[in-house]
Amino acid sequence: MSIKKEVVIIISELELYLIDKVRELRGRATPYVSQVELSLRMEYAEGYVGKVENFSSNSKYNVRNLNLIANALKLKSYSDLLPVEVLKNDLIEVRLELTRNNDKVEFDENDIVIKNYKIKGKRILTSDEIKEYNNRRRSKK
């Protein structure tokens, strides 16, 4: 299914990396692991992974989820989920064009995952913007 929708999100660079990595690992798993299957293996509601992979939602993976994902996908190390090097940026504002259905993971002719979005713009938040973002999130609780 092909879709065209633009969203602007504020997300940590690490969260974006992790969402992409888990999606790729689901697609490489044998047999294939759908969003629903991974959610159930993590003992969450069927739609949990779908909400995380849907950039219109605020749901994200947390540290506890890393363990649940690693076990659900039978990974040998957390390093299979994390970048090799420390990412340089904290929060980024990203303008995404959502281009594909969330669930189905496909690979191109070079065996690289085809993302379900295109980055149309990216901006690193300033330290003042990060403070404001953190304060706004705290006041919502």
Side-chain angles (χ1 to χ4, degrees), residues 5 11 15 17 38 52 54 64 70 75 93-94 113 131 140:
K5 177 182 175 185
I11 190 169
E15 288 170 333
Y17 176 92
L38 181 56
V52 172
N54 176 352
R64 176 176 175 236
L75 303 178
E93 180 182 81
V94 188
V113 70
K131 285 177 190 172
K140 286 184 181 178

Side-chain angles (χ1 to χ4, degrees), residues 11-136:
I11 190 169
S12 83
E13 198 168 37
L14 183 58
E15 288 170 333
L16 184 59
Y17 176 92
L18 187 58
I19 290 167
D20 287 341
K21 189 62 172 181
V22 170
R23 189 168 178 274
E24 176 183 353
L25 291 169
R26 288 192 309 99
R28 291 194 188 283
T30 306
Y32 178 86
V33 176
S34 69
Q35 292 172 335
V36 170
E37 180 63 27
L38 181 56
S39 297
L40 294 175
R41 288 183 187 184
M42 294 170 67
E43 297 187 3
Y44 285 145
E46 289 181 355
Y48 179 75
V49 172
K51 282 181 68 175
V52 172
E53 291 183 8
N54 176 352
F55 293 109
S56 298
S57 164
N58 288 330
S59 298
K60 306 287 183 292
Y61 294 122
N62 62 36
V63 174
R64 176 176 175 236
N65 295 150
L66 295 180
N67 189 59
L68 296 173
I69 292 164
N71 283 309
L73 295 175
K74 297 178 175 55
L75 303 178
K76 296 194 185 318
S77 170
Y78 297 116
S79 64
D80 294 336
L81 290 168
L82 300 172
V84 175
E85 296 180 6
V86 174
L87 300 175
K88 303 244 183 288
N89 303 310
D90 179 16
L91 292 176
I92 54 177
E93 180 182 81
V94 188
R95 188 166 46 92
L96 302 173
E97 179 183 29
L98 307 180
T99 57
R100 305 170 67 82
N101 181 301
N102 255 1
D103 190 25
K104 185 67 178 156
V105 182
E106 296 176 307
F107 297 87
D108 68 15
E109 63 278 356
N110 298 314
D111 200 35
I112 296 173
V113 70
I114 300 170
K115 294 186 179 185
N116 57 346
Y117 63 88
K118 289 180 184 167
I119 295 179
K120 304 299 272 183
K122 176 178 161 181
R123 183 179 70 80
I124 301 165
L125 268 62
T126 66
S127 57
D128 286 343
E129 289 173 318
I130 291 171
K131 285 177 190 172
E132 183 182 323
Y133 178 83
N134 291 340
N135 288 335
R136 187 173 51 235

